[in-house]
Amino acid sequence: MVTEIFNPILKDRLTQMRRKDTPSNFFRQAVEDIATFMIYEVAKNFKVKEIEIETPITKCKAQILDEDFVIVTILRAGLGMVSGALKVLPDAAVGFIGLVRDETTHKPIEYYKKLPPNISSKKVIVVDPMLATGGSSSAALQMLKNDGAKDIIFICIISAPEGIKKISEDHPEIPIYTAAIDDHLNENAYIVPGLGDAGDRIFDTL
Ligand code: PRP
Ligand code: URA
């Protein structure tokens, strides 16, 4: 199930990301901001519980988040979203999955994995700016399931219909949240219109 998040500020930052002349520092800031806005929007569905607290005036009932969170980033480009996600969920643990697409086959190659313990009892939020063929995110989601994760959501900034189809087929129970659904993939499996290579634009390695 895919949900496109509509928010004017989100769309404005996304336009900043898409422009080819946007330099890395502004691109990076937009990625961080969008991660913050998206998690804030998605959090409308998070569970809360009621507790009793004491203000300087009196005792009262109040609400706190009723879940433990893990942010899992798909390296490299997903790293740009971590600081923005942690602004909304500062107590979250952070996990890393290193995947890179082979330039000819476009299939993901795993090169790193470091996840927090006990992810089976936590809400796992996977972040990656780009969902293109869906190969990388599908592999990451499978790695998390293999490690016992049961409650997973996937947040990507730009998605292609091909990637949405793949995740929906491979992991039908995992909700996808995106800021934009683009038109198609080109012959190099880049998203059209997209924004180019997210990792290169974040880290200025073009
Ligand atoms: C990008 C992006 C995704 C992947 C999406 O990473 O961050 O992880 O491509 O493409 P897919 O849906 O077709 O798998 P890339 O492999 O370019 O690595 P990088 O982040 O290190 O640049
Ligand atoms: N990875 C990117 O960074 N951009 C795309 O358009 C596709 C995959």
Side-chain angles (χ1 to χ4, degrees), residues 74-77 100-101 128 130-136 197 199:
I74 305 177
L75 302 174
R76 252 179 336 162
V100 66
R101 288 199 319 180
D128 189 328
M130 309 305 277
L131 171 59
T133 65
S136 307
D197 189 300

Side-chain angles (χ1 to χ4, degrees), residues 13-26:
R13 293 292 199 290
L14 185 55
T15 301
Q16 188 175 330
M17 287 180 70
R18 287 189 192 275
R19 286 183 199 275
K20 68 176 184 183
D21 296 331
T22 298
S24 270
N25 55 344
F26 288 112

Side-chain angles (χ1 to χ4, degrees), residues 6-7 9 13 28 56 58 67 77 83 85 88 96 112 131 137-139 141 169 173 177:
F6 287 95
N7 177 298
I9 298 176
R13 293 292 199 290
R28 216 167 25 239
T58 183
E67 289 172 298
S83 52
V88 187
F96 300 87
Y112 188 71
L131 171 59
S137 38
S138 182
L141 296 170
E169 285 171 2
E173 77 287 9
Y177 295 93

Side-chain angles (χ1 to χ4, degrees), residues 23 28 30 35 70 76 78 84 101-102 104 117 128 131-132 134 139 143 148 157 166 174 176 183 188 193-194 197:
R28 216 167 25 239
V70 178
R76 252 179 336 162
R101 288 199 319 180
D102 180 280
T104 40
D128 189 328
L131 171 59
M143 287 161 77
I157 298 178
K166 179 159 178 64
I174 298 183
I176 307 166
D183 199 58
N188 297 317
D197 189 300

Side-chain angles (χ1 to χ4, degrees), residues 187-199:
E187 61 284 6
N188 297 317
Y190 274 85
I191 299 175
V192 181
L195 48 72
D197 189 300

